[in-house]
Amino acid sequence: QVQLQESGPGLVKPSETLSLTCTVSGDSVSSGSYYWTWVRQPPGKGLEWIGYIYYSGSTSYNPSLKSRVTISVDTSKNQFSLKLNSVTAADTAVYYCARCRGSLGWFDPWGQGTLVTVSS
Amino acid sequence: DIVMTQSPDSLAVSLGERATINCKSSQSVLYSSNNKNYLVWYQQKAGQPPKVLIYWASTRESGVPDRFSGSGSGTDFTLTISSLQAEDVAVYYCQQYYSIPYTFGQGTKLEI
């Protein structure tokens, strides 16, 4: 059974960098069949795709966030990570990691999500 | 970007009755090369991550009750719950995976 688990600070100061890691179990990020993605959801609002990464390191980002986002993969630890810099209160959200079925595919499964609050 | 618009924003349905949620995309999500609609439906219960119900617009995910069905093609899609159960209370989202950036509908809150 594939499981994903997000980890990282729950509180980030404005203008600083949000950093999260997703640990994958039950599958390998190097499997080659999937892309590994980040999605966020502001409290009480809808879902926004942030970007994804392939095990080779190839990435694709949402243009709305592209200038501030970096997604990386660590195949030795079976993890992938998200960095979002210059954060503001608008970046307060539950951040989910998920497995994406191909370069054009749906997201399944998802991690449980982690709330990141941007506040001084 | 492809804009996904769901209707209604919220819906109240009695137990055992039919619920219908619509999703419209700003451009077609049908790939002519394989005749597949790149559209997925998710269910999100309170405090939980989204869960896949339907992909390719009409293929039910394994383990999803058959009261859930998806239909439509091109730009207009529908999620139908044939006989609403108490456990179906949730927010439902459609999402296109036809092109980057992936985009979601705003969600439809389903209540009893």
Side-chain angles (χ1 to χ4, degrees), chain B residues 33-77:
Chain B
S33 59
N34 59 10
N35 201 37
K36 288 189 173 184
N37 288 283
Y38 283 55
L39 183 113
V40 60
W41 287 99
Y42 299 100
Q43 175 193 64
Q44 186 178 32
K45 296 183 178 180
Q48 296 184 19
K51 168 192 167 185
V52 174
L53 295 176
I54 306 281
Y55 54 89
W56 298 129
S58 61
T59 301
R60 194 180 306 113
E61 173 75 311
S62 175
V64 172
D66 60 7
R67 63 180 180 274
F68 290 91
S69 63
S71 62
S73 185
T75 61
D76 292 280
F77 302 91

Side-chain angles (χ1 to χ4, degrees), chain B residues 6-24:
Chain B
Q6 292 181 227
S7 61
D9 290 334
S10 63
L11 181 63
V13 175
S14 301
L15 290 174
E17 296 298 305
R18 177 185 298 260
T20 301
I21 299 170
N22 300 301
C23 175
K24 187 175 184 66

Side-chain angles (χ1 to χ4, degrees), chain A residues 39 41 45-49 52 60 62-63 96 100 102-108 110-112, chain B residues 31 38 40 42 44 47-50 52 55-56 61 93 95 97-102 104 106:
Chain A
V39 176
Q41 184 172 37
K45 296 188 178 180
L47 299 157
E48 179 180 34
W49 177 71
Y52 67 36
S60 185
N62 193 323
Y96 294 101
C100 182
S103 60
L104 290 175
W106 59 95
F107 307 144
D108 177 62
W110 297 57
Q112 282 300 306
Chain B
Y31 256 118
Y38 283 55
V40 60
Y42 299 100
Q44 186 178 32
Q48 296 184 19
V52 174
Y55 54 89
W56 298 129
E61 173 75 311
Y93 293 94
Q95 179 223 322
Y97 49 97
Y98 178 91
S99 67
I100 300 294
Y102 296 136
F104 296 84
Q106 79 276 18

